[in-house]
């Protein structure tokens, strides 16, 4: 088993090395330029995300679609992952993470547009879409669409399920001495109660859960920044300066280079917002919208909230806390986060625990939908019920087993999802430009798709 894990680790390191980072970031920048900086339309995107498009075609509202995507995207990585980037790459990693999110908005926009453009309507009247449909219908690459769907289904059991369930069980045991078997059974039952209801049930719960959990987490971060207010501005300056001159960091931060700050910051940003991974467009295809560009804008706002806002606030909390408290000098991301939140009297640790629990559970729900649609593409609805049973069982299994190998396999599956999706984005970028010119650049956002 150790030998297999070592082989998977080597494959993961190869897949998520500099070539992948360059491919992802290069796609972000290429689409940003070719689409004339869709980031400038972010306030329009936010307005559309909270506005019901009652006359649009789809299964769920645009907000419910966005909430489901955010539920799968905003996970423990947003809390602990940013701290890990700071621990390994220094405070400058926060700036690189933030810049990755800014450019990633363009990629998430393109993914959302293609999801609507190439979605299909089933005999039951449901909308299905995502990179597998863009690859098959847009490029005629059925074989690559199948590969994408296979790795999406695999990834749903990994990063979307077992590792999240394990995080919940570990946190419950470490903080409150609750048996992993008990916490696993509870999370398993809650997951079953939601996912057996299908897309509308998942979307409904996510639409309620995501704003709630994000509000309390951001509130906790703002309280910490209030406690550290003397150090907020110095922390912001340090983040900017040390992104290019890491020796300026000093203090409780580990030594790093510009390359280390860039590598860990960019990687954390890419993992955090999932722009280019191909997961979010699967649920974007179910949205009620009148044309592809409207949903593309709504989808792009997900990256804004996930990385540009939440990851930046988290980074400021971590860096300002290290500067304000000399006793915070951990090189481990989880310990850095825990130490920062412990500075809130009485409520800090429970707030962090609540945030991690809700973020992890919402990720389980969001990725269940992604896995379902991948399985439906591969074998039809008759296999979806089987998938749901296995997915619910995996929640319990993930709570009680060691997951070092599962983590590594999940990383590999995510990378193998991203490659076909990025190819579809690059080869179909002309379609994205055409639709953008038709609806956005011509100020025809309210028109219906012909």
């Amino acid at each position: 088993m150790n030998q297999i894990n070592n082989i998977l680790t080597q494959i993961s390191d190869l897949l998520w090395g500099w070539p992948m980072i360059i491919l992802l970031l290069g796609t972000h920048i290429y689409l940003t330029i070719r689409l004339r900086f869709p980031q400038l339309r972010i306030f329009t995107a936010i307005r559309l995300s909270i506005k019901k498009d009652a006359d649009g075609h789809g299964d769920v509202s645009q907000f419910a679609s966005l909430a489901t995507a955010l539920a799968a995207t905003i996970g423990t990585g947003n809390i602990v992952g940013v701290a890990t980037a700071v621990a390994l790459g220094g405070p400058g990693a926060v700036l690189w993470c933030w810049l990755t999110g800014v450019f990633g908005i363009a990629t998430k926009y393109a993914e959302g547009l293609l999801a609507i453009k190439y979605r299909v309507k089933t005999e039951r009247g449901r909308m299905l879409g995502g990179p597998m449909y863009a690859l098959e219908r847009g490029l005629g690459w059925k074989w690559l669409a199948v590969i994408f769907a296979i790795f999406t289904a695999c990834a749903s059991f990994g990063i979307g399920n077992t590792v999240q369930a394990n995080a919940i069980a570990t946190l419950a045991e470490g903080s409150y001495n609750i048996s992993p078997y008990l916490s696993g059974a509870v999370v398993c039952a809650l997951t079953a109660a939601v996912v057996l209801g299908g897309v509308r049930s998942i979307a409904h719960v996510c639409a309620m859960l995501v704003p709630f959990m994000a509000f309390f987490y951001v509130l906790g971060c703002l309280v910490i920044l209030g406690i550290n207010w003397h150090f907020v501005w110095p922390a912001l300056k340090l983040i900017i300066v040390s992104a290019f001159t890491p020796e300026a960091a000093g203090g409780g931060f580990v030594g790093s280079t510009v390359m280390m700050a860039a590598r860990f910051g960019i990687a954390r940003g890419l993992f955090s917002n999932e722009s280019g991974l191909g997961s979010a467009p699967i649920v974007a295809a179910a949205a009620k919208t009148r044309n592809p560009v409207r949903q593309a804008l709504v989808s792009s706002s997900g990256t804004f909230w996930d990385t540009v806002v939440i990851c930046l606030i988290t980074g400021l909390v971590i860096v300002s806390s290290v500067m304000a408290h000399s006793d915070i000098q951990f090189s481990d991301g989880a310990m850095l986060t825990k130490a920062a939140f412990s500075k809130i009297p009485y409520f800090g640790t429970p707030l962090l625990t609540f945030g991690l629990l809700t973020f992890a559970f919402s990720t389980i729900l969001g990725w269940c939908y992604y896995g379902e649609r991948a399985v439906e593409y591969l074998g039809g609805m008759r296999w979806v019920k089987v998938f749901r049973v296995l997915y619910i069982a995996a929640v319990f299994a993930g709570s009680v087993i060691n997951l070092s190998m599962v983590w590594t396999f999940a990383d590999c599956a995510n990378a193998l999802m991203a490659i076909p999706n990025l190819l579809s984005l690059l080869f179909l970028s002309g379609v994205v430009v055409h639709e953008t010119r038709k609806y956005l650049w011509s100020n025809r956002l309210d028109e219906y798709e012909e």
Side-chain angles (χ1 to χ4, degrees):
M1 295 297 288
N2 288 334
Q3 186 176 3
I4 294 175
N5 190 44
N6 291 334
I7 293 173
L8 286 174
T9 300
Q10 293 176 5
I11 295 174
S12 177
D13 290 342
L14 176 65
L15 290 172
W16 284 111
W18 275 109
M20 175 62 78
I21 290 176
I22 292 172
L23 177 61
L24 274 165
L25 189 59
T27 301
H28 291 352
I29 295 172
Y30 169 75
L31 291 173
T32 292
I33 295 173
R34 189 161 189 198
L35 295 173
R36 301 179 187 176
F37 294 85
Q39 294 87 343
L40 299 176
R41 311 276 186 158
I42 193 61
F43 293 109
T44 299
I46 294 172
R47 176 178 60 82
L48 289 174
S49 69
I50 59 176
K51 181 180 179 181
K52 288 187 177 181
D53 197 350
D55 297 327
H57 302 291
D59 301 327
V60 297
S61 69
Q62 289 179 317
F63 178 77
S65 170
L66 174 64
T68 305
L70 282 174
T73 304
I74 301 177
T76 54
N78 292 79
I79 301 176
V80 178
V82 175
T84 301
V86 172
L88 297 176
V94 177
L95 179 63
W96 292 107
C97 177
W98 185 80
L99 288 174
T100 301
V102 171
F103 285 108
I105 289 173
T107 300
K108 191 63 72 73
Y109 170 92
E111 288 179 315
L113 191 152
L114 293 178
I116 300 296
K117 180 66 178 178
Y118 293 109
R119 67 181 179 178
V120 298
K121 191 173 184 178
T122 67
E123 295 178 354
R124 299 183 180 183
R126 295 183 302 108
M127 293 294 189
L128 301 178
M132 51 277 204
Y133 293 93
L135 285 164
E136 179 184 352
R137 303 183 69 212
L139 294 171
W141 296 350
K142 173 77 173 180
W143 63 274
L144 195 56
V146 171
I147 290 175
F148 174 86
I150 291 173
F151 283 112
T152 299
C154 291
S156 69
F157 282 101
I159 195 67
N161 183 323
T162 50
V163 297
Q164 303 297 332
N166 189 263
I168 293 174
T170 301
L171 184 65
E173 184 179 26
S175 301
Y176 304 104
N177 200 30
I178 298 175
S179 168
Y181 290 91
L182 178 58
S183 59
V186 171
V187 176
C188 186
L190 291 173
T191 302
V194 177
V195 304
L196 292 178
V199 59
R200 287 185 173 86
S201 176
I202 294 174
H204 179 68
V205 172
C206 290
M208 293 189 299
L209 185 60
V210 168
F212 180 72
M213 70 184 190
F215 171 77
F216 279 99
Y217 175 70
V218 172
L219 180 63
C221 288
L222 293 178
V223 170
I224 297 175
L225 292 177
I227 295 173
N228 301 338
W229 71 277
H230 282 296
F231 297 90
V232 173
W233 180 245
L236 185 59
K237 291 195 294 184
L238 180 63
I239 287 171
I240 296 173
V241 173
S242 61
F244 306 100
T245 55
E247 63 273 8
F253 298 102
V254 297
S256 62
T257 64
V258 172
M259 290 298 289
M260 288 176 64
R263 177 189 172 188
F264 289 110
I266 291 172
R268 183 64 266 153
L270 294 174
F271 296 159
S272 170
N273 59 57
E274 296 183 8
S275 294
L277 186 62
S279 51
I282 296 175
V283 69
K288 293 179 180 178
T289 186
R290 61 187 70 184
N291 63 64
V293 172
R294 287 175 71 93
Q295 181 55 36
L297 288 168
V298 172
S299 295
S300 71
S301 68
T303 298
F304 172 79
W305 293 119
D306 175 86
T307 307
V308 178
V309 175
I310 292 180
C311 284
L312 175 60
I313 292 176
T314 303
L316 277 174
V317 164
I318 299 300
V319 176
S320 65
S321 295
V322 173
M323 296 177 69
H325 306 284
S326 59
D327 58 320
I328 301 180
Q329 296 184 1
F330 300 104
S331 59
D332 176 74
M335 294 300 292
L336 267 176
T337 308
K338 185 176 181 180
F341 272 81
S342 68
K343 300 305 177 182
I344 303 179
Y346 307 110
F347 300 105
T349 301
L351 181 63
L352 177 61
T353 302
F354 174 78
L356 288 170
L357 288 174
T358 54
F359 281 15
F361 180 63
S362 69
T363 300
I364 292 173
L365 299 181
W367 270 93
C368 179
Y369 181 78
Y370 297 159
E372 281 188 15
R373 298 290 73 79
V375 169
E376 184 173 358
Y377 178 81
L378 292 170
M381 274 299 294
R382 64 183 181 276
W383 290 103
V384 171
K385 292 182 179 179
V386 176
F387 170 84
R388 288 176 181 171
V389 173
L390 293 175
Y391 194 85
I392 293 168
V395 172
F396 182 79
S399 302
V400 298
I401 64 175
N402 187 295
L403 290 178
S404 58
M405 187 181 297
V406 178
W407 264 108
T408 309
F409 175 77
D411 285 341
C412 294
N414 284 345
L416 293 170
M417 281 177 62
I419 293 172
N421 180 58
L422 291 171
L423 289 175
S424 71
L425 290 172
L426 293 173
F427 282 97
L428 292 173
S429 60
V431 175
V432 178
V433 171
H434 173 78
E435 295 294 316
T436 302
R437 180 181 295 111
K438 179 179 179 181
Y439 293 106
L440 184 61
W441 297 343
S442 301
N443 294 318
R444 298 167 60 189
L445 272 178
D446 293 330
E447 294 190 9
Y448 290 87
E449 184 178 16
E450 298 175 358

